[in-house]
Amino acid sequence: TLQEGLANTYQMIAQPQKAIMYYERCCQLLEQDPNSSKANLANLYLKIATIYDQIQEYENATVYKERSVAFLDHFLKEDIPLALPLLLSIASSYTQTDQHSKALPYYERCLAIREQNTDTKSGEKALLCFHIAICYMYDKQYENAMTFYQKGQVIWEQSLPADHTDLMNLYTAIANTFGMWGKPDKAIPYYERCRVVWEQNPSIYQKELATLYQSMGNALYDMKQYGKALDSYKNSRTILEQTSPHNDTKLAQLHMNMADCYNGIEQFNLAADYYERCYKVFKQNPPKEHTLMARLCTNMALVYAQLYQLQKSEYYMEQSIAVLKKIYSPNHPYLQEAYKMQQIIRKEFKHK
């Protein structure tokens, strides 16, 4: 039609809003015609959604994809190879807007279609398993997430070389999920698989190694293996100091992690030194996660209490409470816990 031709033209010359306007006029004409092809109407909805994706208006894109998927049965009846890409596109839209629970059923429908098709490549199934697992992970359904991760793992380990990027991403995701699940001991072997591969080409995988060492350190810290955690954090620091400015918040957080380890092995002077380095950076570049600053100040207060430096201990505890006051209501448990901690520190000093 003329309207669709104009829409196509405006899309080609990068005028997305005008293209959408003319595609919508086409939709209105088809919606009013009882004899029109539902598949054609759905295809127009998908064109509009695609433009919204391109201009990063993902919520609007999802609206039109949902309208399109309502005609999924017509796609299948008319043998139009649009159903699977459409389902994937909707799932992707929800993922981009962090609506993982809404993305999940679309990924699952894609997997069901793939599994019914004997021509489907195994890698396509594995990738869908990976996406489904991520959705479950964000929903904190870690057992379900692990089921799908491991389905993908079986497929990829049979079909990909041991150093393939997809496998490394999968192992990292599995390890991170075990960490969030409170099973750091099960995370370590998957981190080790990545480490063995990436350490063979450290110049290529600098960024990945820095993140990996820190993640391994976190898992080891949770297992109370403070010495090993500290070694892992130091490996990460070596890389970050070469690639990041001295006031980088990631480097500062790494210093905080190292301080936690020194605290765990009761080397309080070293802990205080690394906490101070972190605090100096956080004061200049506050972390996005505001509670991180509060946790840092609380830890500093406790370390200085161990070092019998009352004035510093009191100061940092007050700093922690000041941060929490900006975030939470007066009766919030986190704030109440901070007040209790302040009282405990004061009582301890009275007895010493």
Side-chain angles (χ1 to χ4, degrees), residues 175-222:
N176 290 341
T177 301
F178 273 129
M180 288 183 284
W181 198 1
K183 298 184 178 184
D185 56 315
K186 292 188 176 181
I188 294 296
Y190 286 97
Y191 286 135
E192 285 290 349
R193 294 187 193 189
C194 296
R195 183 187 64 77
V196 169
V197 172
W198 287 339
E199 283 185 347
Q200 292 174 5
N201 294 287
S203 60
I204 297 175
Y205 296 111
Q206 259 193 343
K207 183 179 178 181
E208 289 84 353
L209 278 169
T211 302
L212 175 70
Y213 289 138
Q214 185 158 7
S215 297
M216 287 183 71
N218 293 342
L220 290 164
Y221 179 85
D222 289 341

Side-chain angles (χ1 to χ4, degrees), residues 91-111:
S92 177
S93 286
Y94 279 129
T95 300
Q96 287 170 321
T97 53
D98 292 327
Q99 298 182 72
H100 300 281
S101 60
K102 290 185 176 181
L104 177 60
Y106 291 102
Y107 283 129
E108 289 178 328
R109 288 172 76 177
C110 290
L111 182 61

